[in-house]
Amino acid sequence: LRGRACEACAAKLERKVARITGVRRATATFLGGTLSVSFDPQLLPASALVEHVRAAGAPVASPGHDRDPGEAE
């Protein structure tokens, strides 16, 4: 979430991502600079999630390879 101006911006991103079909939970932290997303890979492939997050205006790092399918940060 680098480049986000404030906590309210991070919260807005969190709400946008949480509304995406297939997302179970989205948690953004301004101070930590992260957006963690739990999603159903059957409904939402990771590549589509990345595109949605980028379209919402957030930079995306590579999904964590040590995470279970359906978890991304």
Side-chain angles (χ1 to χ4, degrees), residues 7 9 12-13 17-19 25 27 33 35 41 45 47 49 54 56 58 63 67 72-73:
E7 185 67 38
C9 296
K12 183 177 178 180
L13 177 64
V17 173
R19 288 193 295 253
R25 177 182 34 84
T27 306
L35 171 68
S47 59
L49 174 61
R54 284 186 177 140
R67 300 192 194 302
E73 187 169 322

Side-chain angles (χ1 to χ4, degrees), residues 37-59:
V37 181
S38 176
F39 63 100
D40 182 342
Q42 298 287 331
L43 297 174
L44 180 67
S47 59
L49 174 61
V50 166
E51 292 307 313
H52 280 291
V53 173
R54 284 186 177 140

